[in-house]
Amino acid sequence: MGNHRSTDRWLGIAAAIVLLIAAVLVVLPFFSALLWASIVSITLWPLRELLAHRLRLGSNLAATLISLALLGLLVAPIAAASVLLANYTEDLLAQVRNLMQDGLPEPPLWLATIPFVGHWLADQWANYRHDGSALLSQSLALLEQHRGLILSAAREVSSGIAELLIAVFLSFFVLRDGERIAAWLSQGARRLSEEGPELLRLTARTIEGVVYGIVGTAVVSGLLGWAGYAIAGVPKSLTLGLLTFLGAFVPFGTALVWGPAAFWLLQQGETPWAMFMLVWGALVISSADNVIKPMLISRGSAMPFVLTLVGAVGGVIAFGVIGVFLGPTLMALAWFLVMQWMARALPMPTQQRIASSSKRNAVGEDPNDAL
């Protein structure tokens, strides 16, 4: 009878493990989108509380309004880019067609003056000057050579957009049922460890710090970019500063703004200002991502600045874009656990315990007994 009960128990445990693995496999394709939805919900939770409780809109309406706003922020740039692409597609195709027929025009005089690579670029340009067939064959060869990379990039972009749409959809449910989800997580964490609820609060604070760090870094990068463009005399410096702000959300995105600005200055014959723009962009604008962002992130936890920097950079290397959030959060949790472990009283060695016990006994003796 006992053997049957033991067998049934082990069969139940095995069935539970199989069921858990199957559930993980089902959720795994949506793990990244669910993670993004959790990050967005934690960041926007104060706004949800304002709408749901202070304005008394209810959790359903508050989550709906925030999700629609997120959807608008996601769809609006894609729609604007599609409209711009549709407006300029015909002109772009006409210019490409002319290049393939007539080849490249005469190289500009400033091309050979570019330091280090100017003469090489001028020689390469001369190979395809007024020779459309050579330019066409070389372009087709490059497309064929990098076809896999182009298709992979297209798949990554499309899957990224789909993942963001799923994340917005999931964020509605996280925002609506966030209080119950937080209660479940807190109860489960308390069952695992006494420090479980504190770890959950630390995770939320770190994620908020990362988001504020990213946005704050983008603002600083935009302001520094606007100042640099204005000093160098680049036209529409305010618009370029806004583009620098948007580019700061993407790794090396600011270089896509200040780099062409420096190239334009070089094309205009303003070589000193072009060099200034390159130095300003590389050392001032881009440094904000490596200095200001970790400083802002570290304000969300008591973790040292250098560990925050290591977490932010190492997280991106290890996990990709989502690593910006995972890296500092994991480092903060590890730092908290190490500090909790070090704060606990260490057991005394045996000889020290004996000496301490003898000392207490001697102090506790009655002097009359000694006489």
Side-chain angles (χ1 to χ4, degrees):
M1 188 68 177
N3 292 333
H4 288 294
R5 290 181 179 177
S6 178
T7 302
D8 293 342
R9 184 178 62 194
W10 283 110
L11 287 176
I13 294 174
I17 293 175
V18 171
L19 181 62
L20 182 61
I21 293 175
V24 170
L25 292 177
V26 170
V27 176
L28 194 60
F30 302 97
F31 176 75
S32 183
L34 185 60
L35 197 59
W36 279 114
S38 302
I39 292 170
V40 170
S41 301
I42 291 173
T43 306
L44 297 179
W45 190 257
L47 178 60
R48 185 261 190 198
E49 290 291 286
L50 175 65
L51 295 175
H53 297 296
R54 294 189 180 182
L55 299 182
R56 303 190 179 187
L57 298 180
S59 58
N60 283 318
L61 184 55
T64 301
L65 292 176
I66 296 175
S67 300
L68 289 177
L70 290 173
L71 187 62
L73 291 175
L74 176 62
V75 172
I78 299 176
S82 301
V83 171
L84 291 175
L85 184 63
N87 292 337
Y88 290 101
T89 297
E90 187 175 351
D91 294 338
L92 181 62
L93 290 176
Q95 293 180 9
V96 172
R97 192 181 303 112
N98 292 334
L99 286 175
M100 296 305 172
Q101 291 176 355
D102 304 330
L104 294 175
E106 293 292 333
L109 298 177
W110 55 262
L111 186 63
T113 62
I114 298 177
F116 305 111
V117 296
H119 293 289
W120 181 83
L121 291 175
D123 294 339
Q124 294 297 318
W125 188 300
N127 293 334
Y128 306 104
R129 183 177 52 190
H130 305 301
D131 191 355
S133 59
L135 181 61
L136 177 61
S137 61
Q138 182 64 25
S139 301
L140 292 176
L142 288 175
L143 288 176
E144 181 65 24
Q145 181 180 357
H146 300 287
R147 180 179 59 181
L149 181 61
I150 295 172
L151 293 177
S152 177
R155 284 194 297 267
E156 289 293 331
V157 171
S158 59
S159 63
I161 294 175
E163 186 176 288
L164 288 177
L165 290 174
I166 296 173
V168 171
F169 175 74
L170 293 176
S171 65
F172 166 78
F173 298 98
V174 178
L175 288 169
R176 187 191 66 178
D177 304 321
E179 294 174 347
R180 280 185 291 178
I181 294 174
W184 293 336
L185 291 176
S186 180
Q187 183 178 1
R190 190 176 292 108
R191 285 178 177 271
L192 294 175
S193 172
E194 295 180 358
E195 292 86 3
E198 179 60 28
L199 290 175
L200 287 178
R201 288 190 289 270
L202 178 61
T203 301
R205 290 198 303 268
T206 305
I207 291 175
E208 288 180 357
V210 171
V211 173
Y212 297 150
I214 291 175
V215 176
T217 302
V219 171
V220 173
S221 298
L223 292 175
L224 291 174
W226 167 73
Y229 306 136
I231 293 172
V234 181
K236 297 183 179 180
S237 58
L238 186 60
T239 302
L240 292 175
L242 179 60
L243 292 176
T244 304
F245 164 77
L246 297 175
F249 290 95
V250 182
F252 307 105
T254 57
L256 299 177
V257 184
W258 56 259
F263 184 75
W264 180 85
L265 288 170
L266 187 65
Q267 185 179 4
Q268 300 300 314
E270 301 288 345
T271 304
W273 285 115
M275 294 297 104
F276 163 79
M277 196 70 251
L278 285 175
V279 173
W280 184 269
L283 299 182
V284 179
I285 299 176
S286 296
S287 65
D289 191 62
N290 299 322
V291 178
I292 298 176
K293 182 188 294 184
M295 289 177 61
L296 294 176
I297 294 174
S298 62
R299 295 181 61 185
S301 64
M303 188 168 56
F305 170 79
V306 64
L307 293 182
T308 306
L309 177 62
V310 170
V313 177
V316 173
I317 296 174
F319 304 106
V321 178
I322 195 69
V324 175
F325 299 91
L326 288 181
T329 301
L330 294 175
M331 290 296 292
L333 295 177
W335 173 260
F336 174 80
L337 291 176
V338 170
M339 290 297 100
Q340 288 292 107
W341 175 72
M342 293 181 65
R344 291 176 179 174
L346 297 177
M348 291 187 297
T350 305
Q351 294 180 354
Q352 187 176 355
R353 285 203 305 268
I354 295 174
S356 177
S357 177
S358 300
K359 184 178 180 180
R360 286 197 303 268
N361 293 335
V363 171
E365 287 180 354
D366 190 354
N368 296 325
D369 296 337
L371 294 175

